[in-house]
């Protein structure tokens, strides 16, 4: 029961949805989503294990930030594909992130969460989501967004990364004065809510993607 | 200052809620915008379909008009010439050499005139090809044919050549021209027709004037018989142009078509 939390449960359901609906997807980027969700789920489980075993799971989450940044950036780049997304921008961003990430790790002596890198990453993903919306609105070609997989994937990312801004802004304070609420920290409760929103949007986007693939194959 | 637990929970909860509501509104806005885009796309599609239907109708009307003119000409012109030839030939008396030579000369003249008429008809029959050579050429050919009837004195002034990149636009303008000419023939009782082609600040201007009996424009448009005039205005609007109609009873009518050059 230790490993069954809101976060692991929602991540597991989303992973199952990805497995069912994206396994036979024609697009490798969407299929890669299954592995990414598996990594997310493994991180959550490992995080719980590490917290109980060695009383710190910072290392696990610090590694996960790199995977998260790499995959999410790549996926955004993939979604921009139709609008001539440039590879050099993706590579420049990833290089910048890595330099910043390593510098922060060294600055913290590997003893703290890479808060600044994660916050900047969130801001970049919020901007990337807004850019996607902008491109969609500019596009003369009409696409039913209510049933568009990419649109709901981006919306999930926007809800998560924009919604976590309040927690990121209060991060330093919460780190020192985290307040107990319902036997959990405030930050934890907010992130549970954000994870549920994120995984719901993404699960729906997988269903949309599956239906889109099926209808186009007829 | 000590911040209480409840205050932190409240602040963070409120902050997170606001940061969640903001993208929610954004998503709703994008969806709404997209719905309007769909509506706009549907309207555009409907307009395109209506334009294509109108274009097809116009093409058929141009053909119909050509066939009517041919039928009229065959009956009234070539038919008359052939009848005259038959009568002349049947009255030939081979014993009267002098009169026979005169009659044969008349028949020869009638044959030449018939051939000219057939040539003019065949030129008219190639209306589509004429349009391919340019709208000005097609208009000129139509007026040329009208002049042959000797019913009208025609003045054609060309200050500019009308050239459209879009051939469908040329067909619609040509049909507008035909419709106006038809109205003059059928209703105006005119003896003179003036046609001027101009180019004024990004627009082609076709001015058509007659010295016929004229009519009351407002009265005509509001009556059932004014459908033709409404049709002219509607067709001009279809290609983003305008049709200005002015008429004074017993003094004649002026119709000015303004058609934008650009798509």
């Amino acid at each position: 029961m230790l490993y069954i939390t809101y976060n692991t449960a929602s991540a597991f359901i989303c992973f199952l949805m990805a497995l069912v609906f994206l396994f036979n997807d024609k697009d490798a980027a969407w299929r890669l989503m299954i592995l990414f969700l598996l990594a997310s789920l493994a991180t959550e489980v490992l995080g719980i294990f590490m917290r109980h075993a060695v009383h710190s799971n910072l290392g696990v989450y610090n590694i996960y930030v790199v995977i998260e940044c790499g995959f999410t950036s790549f996926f955004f780049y993939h979604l921009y594909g139709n609008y001539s997304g440039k590879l050099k921008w993706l590579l420049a961003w990833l290089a910048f992130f890595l330099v910043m990430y390593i510098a922060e790790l060294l600055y913290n002596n590997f003893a703290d969460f890479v808060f600044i890198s994660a916050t900047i990453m969130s801001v970049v993903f919020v901007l990337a989501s807004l850019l996607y919306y902008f491109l969609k609105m500019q596009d003369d070609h009409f696409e039913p967004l209510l049933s568009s997989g990419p649109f709901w994937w981006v919306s999930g990312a926007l809800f998560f990364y924009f919604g976590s801004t309040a927690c990121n802004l209060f991060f330093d304070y919460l780190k020192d004065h985290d307040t107990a609420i319902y036997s959990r920290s405030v930050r934890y409760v907010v992130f549970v809510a954000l994870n549920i929103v994120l995984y719901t949007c993404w699960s729906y986007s997988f269903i949309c993607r599956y239906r889109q693939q099926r209808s186009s194959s007829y | 200052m000590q911040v209480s637990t409840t205050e932190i929970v409240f602040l963070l909860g409120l902050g997170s809620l606001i940061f969640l509501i903001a993208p929610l509104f954004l998503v709703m806005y994008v969806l709404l915008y997209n719905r309007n885009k769909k509506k706009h796309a549907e309207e555009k599609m409907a307009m395109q379909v209506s334009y294509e239907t109108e274009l097809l109708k116009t093409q058929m009307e141009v053909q119909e008009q050509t066939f009517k003119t041919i039928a009229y000409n065959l009956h009234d012109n070539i038919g008359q010439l052939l009848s005259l030839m038959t009568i002349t030939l049947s009255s030939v008396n081979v014993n009267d050499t002098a009169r026979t030579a005169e009659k044969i000369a008349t028949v020869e003249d009638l044959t030449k005139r018939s051939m000219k008429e057939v040539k003019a008809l065949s030129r008219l029959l190639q209306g589509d090809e004429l349009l391919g050579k340019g709208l000005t050429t097609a208009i000129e050919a139509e007026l040329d044919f009208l002049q042959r009837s000797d019913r009208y004195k025609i003045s054609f002034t060309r200050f500019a050549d009308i050239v459209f990149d879009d051939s469908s636009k040329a067909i619609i303008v040509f049909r507008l021209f035909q419709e106006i000419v038809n109205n003059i023939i059928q209703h105006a009782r005119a003896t003179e027709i003036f046609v001027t082609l101009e180019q004024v600040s990004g627009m082609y201007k076709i001015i058509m004037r007659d010295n016929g009996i004229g009519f009351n424009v407002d009265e005509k448009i509001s009556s059932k018989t004014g459908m033709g005039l409404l049709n002219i205005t509607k067709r001009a609007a279809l290609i983003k142009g305008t049709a200005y109609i002015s008429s004074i009873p017993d003094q004649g009518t002026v119709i000015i078509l303004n058609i934008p050059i650009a798509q």
Side-chain angles (χ1 to χ4, degrees):
Chain A
M1 288 300 283
L2 180 72
Y3 295 99
I4 301 173
T5 64
Y6 289 111
N7 281 343
T8 53
S10 54
F12 182 67
I13 293 169
C14 192
F15 165 70
L16 278 185
M17 297 287 262
L19 198 65
V20 171
F21 294 113
L22 300 179
F23 191 74
N24 290 320
D25 200 286
K26 286 173 192 164
D27 193 335
W30 282 91
R31 285 201 307 275
L32 206 63
M33 191 79 213
I34 302 170
L35 288 180
F36 173 66
L37 284 170
L38 185 65
S40 303
L41 181 63
T43 306
E44 289 290 347
V45 173
L46 203 62
I48 296 170
F49 171 76
M50 296 289 275
R51 197 176 66 214
H52 286 90
V54 287
H55 298 286
S56 173
N57 53 17
L58 280 173
V60 178
Y61 283 101
N62 274 346
I63 292 169
Y64 176 71
V65 167
V66 181
I67 300 171
E68 182 185 1
C69 180
F71 177 78
T72 313
S73 305
F74 162 73
F75 206 80
F76 267 115
Y77 166 75
H78 177 72
L79 294 182
Y80 292 152
N82 294 336
Y83 305 100
S84 68
K86 288 195 169 67
L87 185 66
K88 64 178 178 186
W89 285 106
L90 172 72
L91 296 176
W93 153 243
L94 288 177
F96 170 76
F97 176 81
L98 274 178
V99 170
M100 180 175 60
Y101 173 83
I102 292 165
E104 195 177 0
L105 274 181
L106 293 173
Y107 180 79
N108 293 337
N109 287 321
F110 298 90
D112 209 346
F113 179 63
V114 281
F115 153 71
I116 297 171
S117 303
T119 306
I120 290 175
M121 181 183 80
S122 297
V123 172
V124 169
F125 290 158
V126 167
L127 292 176
S129 308
L130 296 180
L131 178 64
Y132 178 82
Y133 287 161
F134 177 73
L135 291 171
K136 275 283 158 211
M137 286 163 84
Q138 289 285 96
D139 193 355
D140 285 337
H141 169 73
F142 169 75
E143 187 191 343
L145 292 181
L146 268 175
S147 55
S148 157
F151 175 77
W152 285 108
W153 189 91
V154 172
S155 298
L158 179 70
F159 278 123
F160 182 80
Y161 290 110
F162 199 72
S164 62
T165 308
C167 277
N168 288 336
L169 290 176
F170 286 102
F171 183 81
D172 271 343
Y173 180 86
L174 289 170
K175 195 173 62 178
D176 301 328
H177 304 88
D178 207 353
T179 316
I181 175 174
Y182 309 120
S183 76
R184 295 284 185 188
S185 75
V186 180
R187 194 170 180 273
Y188 179 81
V189 173
V190 171
F191 268 91
V192 164
L194 291 176
N195 271 334
I196 291 173
V197 173
L198 171 78
Y199 290 132
T200 308
C201 284
W202 279 9
S203 299
Y204 180 64
S205 87
F206 303 154
I207 297 171
C208 293
R209 175 79 193 165
Y210 176 74
R211 288 170 66 179
Q212 197 183 339
Q213 293 265 304
R214 270 178 68 98
S215 62
S216 63
S217 65
Y218 286 133
Chain B
M1 193 184 75
Q2 192 68 36
V3 185
S4 73
T5 310
T6 332
E7 278 174 329
I8 290 173
V9 171
F10 177 74
L11 267 176
L12 205 63
L14 188 71
S16 296
L17 196 70
I18 290 168
F19 279 102
L20 258 176
I21 288 172
L24 183 73
F25 273 97
L26 188 67
V27 168
M28 278 164 67
Y29 174 74
V30 174
L31 288 172
L32 207 70
Y33 184 90
N34 200 52
R35 204 177 68 178
N36 287 341
K37 196 158 87 175
K38 183 187 177 190
K39 221 165 123 185
H40 179 72
E42 281 171 355
E43 277 171 9
K44 213 170 144 186
M45 178 73 89
M47 272 173 71
Q48 182 67 27
V49 170
S50 136
Y51 181 79
E52 275 164 17
T53 313
E54 193 64 31
L55 182 67
L56 203 70
K57 206 173 133 195
T58 307
Q59 275 172 325
M60 286 173 73
E61 278 178 13
V62 168
Q63 274 187 0
E64 201 181 319
Q65 176 68 39
T66 311
F67 288 138
K68 264 187 192 170
T69 313
I70 290 165
Y72 169 80
N73 207 273
L74 277 174
H75 181 264
D76 289 13
N77 233 338
I78 300 170
Q80 295 295 326
L81 288 170
L82 290 174
S83 297
L84 269 175
M85 278 161 72
T86 316
I87 293 164
T88 314
L89 282 173
S90 61
S91 65
V92 168
N93 181 359
V94 284
N95 298 322
D96 187 353
T97 327
R99 293 279 292 161
T100 302
E102 195 185 312
K103 280 178 182 173
I104 285 173
T106 308
V107 169
E108 194 186 346
D109 179 52
L110 286 170
T111 313
K112 275 180 186 166
R113 277 172 64 189
S114 301
M115 279 170 72
K116 263 189 186 171
E117 289 299 328
V118 169
K119 260 187 192 169
L121 263 187
S122 105
R123 224 179 130 204
L124 198 71
L125 202 58
Q126 293 166 337
D128 283 350
E129 283 102 286
L130 277 178
L131 264 176
K133 283 181 191 167
L135 190 61
T136 316
T137 318
I139 287 175
E140 227 171 349
E142 193 88 359
L143 288 175
D144 195 36
F145 194 80
L146 194 64
Q147 193 146 32
R148 300 181 67 81
S149 68
D150 286 335
R151 276 175 67 190
Y152 306 99
K153 187 185 165 209
I154 291 170
S155 306
F156 179 56
T157 317
R158 184 171 74 182
F159 292 114
D161 257 344
I162 300 185
V163 182
F164 291 116
D165 292 336
D166 182 3
S167 62
S168 61
K169 212 168 173 178
I171 290 172
I172 291 173
V173 174
F174 185 61
R175 180 59 200 150
L176 279 168
F177 167 80
Q178 276 190 331
E179 254 179 293
I180 296 166
V181 167
N182 243 355
N183 282 345
I184 296 172
I185 295 170
Q186 286 175 12
H187 311 292
R189 283 186 238 155
T191 53
E192 284 182 70
I193 300 172
F194 303 88
V195 178
T196 312
L197 306 183
E198 288 177 15
Q199 185 183 331
V200 185
S201 55
M203 300 279 246
Y204 284 129
K205 204 173 215 180
I206 302 174
I207 307 167
M208 297 177 74
R209 186 162 66 82
D210 68 66
N211 65 342
I213 54 168
F215 58 91
N216 185 318
V217 180
D218 294 333
E219 219 171 72
K220 198 78 176 167
I221 284 178
S222 55
S223 74
K224 276 184 182 173
T225 49
M227 289 301 283
L229 292 178
L230 273 178
N231 213 17
I232 289 171
T233 320
K234 203 181 95 185
R235 283 226 167 114
L238 200 69
I239 45 173
K240 296 188 175 69
T242 54
Y244 169 76
I245 304 165
S246 168
S247 184
I248 301 169
D250 298 324
Q251 284 191 37
T253 306
V254 182
I255 297 183
I256 303 172
L257 299 174
N258 286 303
I259 315 293
I261 298 169
Q263 282 283 81

